[in-house]
Amino acid sequence: MSAKGKILILKLNNQLLSILIRDNQILSIQVQNQNEYAVGNIYVGKVKNISDNIGAAFVDLGQGYLTFLPLTDAKYACVMNRKADGKIKAGDEIPVQIIKEPMKTKLAGVTTSISLSGQYAVVGVPRQEHFGNRIPAEPDSGTQAEDSDSICGRNIVQISSKLSKKKQVRFRSIEALRQIAEHYQLIVRTNAGELAEDEPLIEEARYLTEQLAHIMQIADKRTCYSCLYRGKPDYVHFIENTYTSEYDEVITDLPEIYEVLQSQFTGTDLSLRLYEDKMLPLYKLYAVETRIHELLDRKVWLKSGGYLVIEPTEALISIDVNSGKCEQGKNKEETAVKINMEAAEMIAVHLRARNLSGIILVDFINLRKKEHERQLVEYMRNLLKKDSITADVVDMTGLGLMEITRKKVNPSFREQFGQAAPHKL
């Protein structure tokens, strides 16, 4: 298996796709959202009504586009059309940011915790600060920052838990980041761990801080339903949210996308290439149609001859592991262990590629030895740690099923691509 893959950005059936592919296998894929109200956008919304029984406020972003805001989040809202009294009411105008796409019957989700993200950092407005006139002072570059860790009520530089302790200490010690964290929430992302120098991280954090300060300054000068900030295209987010250790190049055959990426990633180490071979389209070069068919098929074959059956339902995702064509050797336990380990690797890949989330129950081939069962659970846990979306093994149920949970962020790939996609290809 090669060390790194490629990120492809291309069009197929009039849909713009972002794909992380390695060894002819799709590891992650996203369809460009055509919705005007995209994740990352910031609006001055109006609270239409409040439902105490479900703990939510419903916020209109304009044109009747309703969104869901948890009341636990709403208490931090900055009311812009009346004097704040610590409560939120119908008719209140508040700045919100879209953080979740609508899924099936669920509305899009919004938050009052405004933040901007890049490839290496996320900068957010502290809870105690407000939009409008209460703007956090810009950090004084000539002032020695105090020890943030020891100051009650102040922010510290937060670091991705996936980075080593050594790198966490290194990033927390960077003076420029500590100064920003005195006034803003600052998170150093996992990708920063791949940087040879700190300057790209510092420059990005400062740029995001300037953008956020500008949004805060203009918020109270805009009318209700105004869009204060329009997020980056999904394909830019896709690159930023993919671990740089997983790919060595971004390739697109779309000149207009190539230009956007050149401007977005100026000054970074991103290796970007415009594919111009008209005789062999990019999607054919990487057999994208075939790979997508595999993601939409309920049956997934393993190299050993075994296979998975993946069945999404309303309540949960069920995955059945079968020995299939795999010849049973003299030691059935060893064969079962081999198939289960291979199945675990493929399950981790398909959970991410298909963007399956919620409760996942996996029926592995039965193992007689508890030691082998524990090894399988630990192996699955380690595989899921590589997922950029939070996923973990809960335990083995009394019926011998492995219970996995994966955070719901976006619709599944099947939902994004459309139920009719297999017939279009």
Side-chain angles (χ1 to χ4, degrees):
M1 181 176 286
S2 61
K4 292 190 177 183
K6 310 286 184 186
I7 289 182
L8 313 177
I9 300 173
L10 49 83
K11 276 189 176 178
L12 184 64
N13 296 325
N14 295 318
Q15 290 182 307
L16 184 60
L17 305 177
S18 304
I19 305 168
L20 173 63
I21 192 165
R22 184 180 65 198
D23 293 331
N24 293 320
Q25 186 171 59
I26 291 177
L27 302 184
S28 183
I29 184 167
Q30 185 176 23
V31 180
Q32 176 76 26
N33 184 3
Q34 301 301 322
N35 189 347
E36 177 187 346
Y37 298 95
V39 170
N41 288 6
I42 302 171
Y43 296 88
V44 178
K46 178 177 284 188
V47 179
K48 294 296 290 184
N49 62 290
I50 294 170
S51 178
D52 289 316
N53 61 329
I54 62 170
F58 295 95
V59 183
D60 185 3
L61 303 186
Q63 304 179 66
Y65 189 82
L66 280 183
T67 59
F68 181 94
L69 175 67
L71 289 181
T72 51
D73 190 321
K75 66 183 179 181
Y76 297 105
C78 175
V79 180
M80 308 183 72
N81 60 331
R82 66 178 178 87
K83 186 176 180 180
D85 58 4
K87 298 179 180 179
I88 189 168
K89 303 174 183 176
D92 285 349
E93 297 176 11
I94 58 175
V96 292
Q97 183 172 31
I98 301 176
I99 56 172
K100 283 186 179 180
E101 294 181 25
M103 287 187 267
K104 297 181 180 178
T105 59
K106 294 184 178 180
L107 300 174
V110 294
T111 181
T112 61
S113 299
I114 309 299
S115 65
L116 300 179
S117 66
Q119 192 170 18
Y120 308 119
V122 178
V123 175
V125 180
R127 288 289 198 185
Q128 65 268 27
E129 301 293 350
H130 287 267
F131 281 71
N133 296 323
R134 293 187 59 189
I135 307 299
E138 287 294 324
D140 181 357
S141 58
T143 304
Q144 182 72 21
E146 299 175 69
D147 184 356
S148 303
D149 295 334
S150 63
I151 302 174
C152 181
R154 292 190 181 179
N155 296 316
I156 63 170
V157 179
Q158 300 173 66
I159 314 292
S160 166
S161 61
K162 294 190 177 183
L163 291 176
S164 67
K165 295 294 182 184
K166 183 178 180 180
K167 288 181 179 179
Q168 290 185 32
V169 170
R170 168 190 153 199
F171 289 131
R172 283 205 176 95
S173 68
I174 297 174
E175 189 62 30
L177 299 184
R178 288 160 63 88
Q179 289 176 5
I180 292 173
E182 283 289 305
H183 304 280
Y184 296 86
Q185 290 183 333
L186 174 62
I187 301 172
V188 176
R189 305 188 70 182
T190 306
N191 275 337
E194 299 293 320
L195 293 172
E197 299 178 354
D198 298 330
E199 199 55 36
L201 167 62
I202 295 170
E203 287 182 3
E204 183 180 79
R206 284 175 173 162
Y207 173 71
L208 294 173
T209 301
E210 291 170 3
Q211 276 194 309
L212 192 57
H214 174 70
I215 294 168
M216 294 168 68
Q217 287 170 336
I218 66 172
D220 66 340
K221 301 175 181 64
R222 299 298 167 89
T223 58
C224 190
Y225 306 132
S226 294
C227 181
L228 302 175
Y229 172 81
R230 196 163 293 282
K232 304 168 190 174
D234 284 344
Y235 56 86
V236 173
H237 279 300
F238 185 88
I239 295 170
E240 291 179 339
N241 293 334
T242 301
Y243 297 142
T244 53
S245 59
E246 292 189 298
Y247 66 94
D248 55 18
E249 189 178 27
V250 176
I251 309 171
T252 182
D253 56 356
L254 304 167
E256 66 277 15
I257 300 295
Y258 180 74
E259 290 179 10
V260 172
L261 293 178
Q262 278 188 312
S263 64
Q264 286 285 339
F265 293 95
T266 300
T268 71
D269 295 332
L270 184 74
S271 177
L272 178 62
R273 176 158 60 100
L274 178 62
Y275 181 83
E276 298 180 285
D277 188 343
K278 303 300 181 184
M279 300 299 292
L280 181 63
L282 187 59
Y283 76 90
K284 284 192 176 294
L285 177 65
Y286 285 91
V288 172
E289 290 176 309
T290 301
R291 302 288 85 84
I292 287 177
H293 267 305
E294 292 171 355
L295 287 186
L296 296 171
D297 197 348
R298 63 190 290 271
K299 182 179 283 190
V300 179
W301 286 100
L302 306 175
K303 291 180 180 179
S304 63
Y307 63 91
L308 312 176
V309 176
I310 302 176
E311 295 279 10
T313 70
E314 286 294 323
L316 51 82
I317 312 295
S318 73
I319 302 177
D320 189 30
V321 181
N322 296 275
S323 58
K325 300 174 184 177
C326 181
E327 294 182 6
Q328 296 287 343
K330 292 181 179 180
N331 191 323
K332 292 184 178 180
E333 182 76 358
E334 285 184 9
T335 302
V337 169
K338 176 186 174 183
I339 296 173
N340 282 344
M341 291 297 190
E342 186 185 356
E345 292 177 10
M346 191 61 73
I347 288 167
V349 167
H350 277 261
L351 290 182
R352 180 183 176 190
R354 298 179 185 225
N355 197 28
L356 301 175
S357 55
I359 299 171
I360 300 110
L361 291 181
V362 185
D363 187 7
F364 284 100
I365 297 172
N366 290 337
L367 297 171
R368 293 196 300 270
K369 295 183 180 179
K370 287 294 180 183
E371 178 188 353
H372 290 157
E373 190 176 276
R374 285 192 295 269
Q375 288 174 353
L376 179 60
V377 169
E378 191 59 30
Y379 187 58
M380 192 78 231
R381 281 205 173 102
N382 289 331
L383 289 170
L384 293 176
K385 286 178 182 177
K386 300 174 184 177
D387 197 330
S388 57
I389 293 177
T390 304
D392 197 10
V393 177
V394 177
D395 209 344
M396 299 293 285
T397 70
L399 295 175
L401 304 175
M402 184 181 289
E403 186 178 3
I404 298 172
T405 59
R406 190 170 184 272
K407 186 177 179 181
K408 289 186 178 182
V409 177
N410 296 316
S412 70
F413 173 65
R414 178 175 285 277
E415 291 174 89
Q416 292 179 48
F417 201 66
Q419 294 291 338
H423 307 293
K424 292 181 181 178
L425 290 178

